[in-house]
Amino acid sequence: MWQIGNVTHSDIDTLVGTWLTLEEAAQPLGVSPNHIKQLIRENRMMGVVRNGELSVPAAFLNGSDFVKGLPGTLVLLSDSGFSHEEALRWLFTPDDSLPGTPIQAIRENRGTEVRRRAQGLAL
């Protein structure tokens, strides 16, 4: 389980499934863990503290690259007022209108649909 502040979120942990430490995420990308931290600070990547260690969803990576369109989607969600918790929940929750989850749609190169929906949900 991971936490934001003092709140534990096992439901999001279950939705996301597989997580990578910064080192595990950085290695296939050929970047340093500090680069991943910088992307998180810029809202171009999203990470949470799980079991005392900053981790990112494995679904955010596609082999040796980031999933195409993900950084822009994360910036849009942040600019729209989504917290990290809300953005993760939204990205990994099934949406019948897509179909699948927003992260699946982004991975399938349907990011424009996802960003339109995210803009419509602006908080």
Side-chain angles (χ1 to χ4, degrees):
M1 292 199 289
W2 57 273
Q3 46 185 98
I4 295 177
N6 295 323
V7 182
T8 302
H9 299 278
S10 62
D11 62 326
I12 293 176
D13 205 40
T14 301
L15 284 172
V16 170
T18 305
W19 294 85
L20 301 172
T21 64
L22 295 185
E23 291 79 16
E24 292 168 334
Q27 185 177 11
L29 299 172
V31 300
S32 71
N34 285 337
H35 182 75
I36 303 292
K37 281 184 190 177
Q38 179 64 34
L39 293 172
I40 291 170
R41 281 191 295 272
E42 295 169 355
N43 290 319
R44 296 177 54 221
M45 178 60 66
M46 189 171 294
V48 295
V49 176
R50 299 179 66 252
N51 303 318
E53 189 167 17
L54 190 57
S55 301
V56 299
F60 286 178
L61 301 181
N62 188 11
S64 62
D65 205 354
F66 297 106
V67 170
K68 181 182 173 188
L70 178 66
T73 303
L74 294 176
V75 168
L76 173 64
L77 291 170
S78 175
D79 289 350
S80 296
F82 281 70
S83 68
H84 280 211
E85 174 188 352
E86 291 164 334
L88 282 171
R89 184 173 280 116
W90 185 78
L91 284 166
F92 287 90
T93 297
D95 180 340
D96 292 336
S97 70
L98 282 173
T101 65
I103 190 63
Q104 288 171 328
I106 293 169
R107 291 179 63 84
E108 294 168 359
N109 218 10
R110 297 184 288 134
T112 302
E113 291 177 60
V114 172
R115 284 185 291 282
R116 275 193 212 124
R117 283 173 176 74
Q119 286 173 329
L121 295 172
L123 302 173

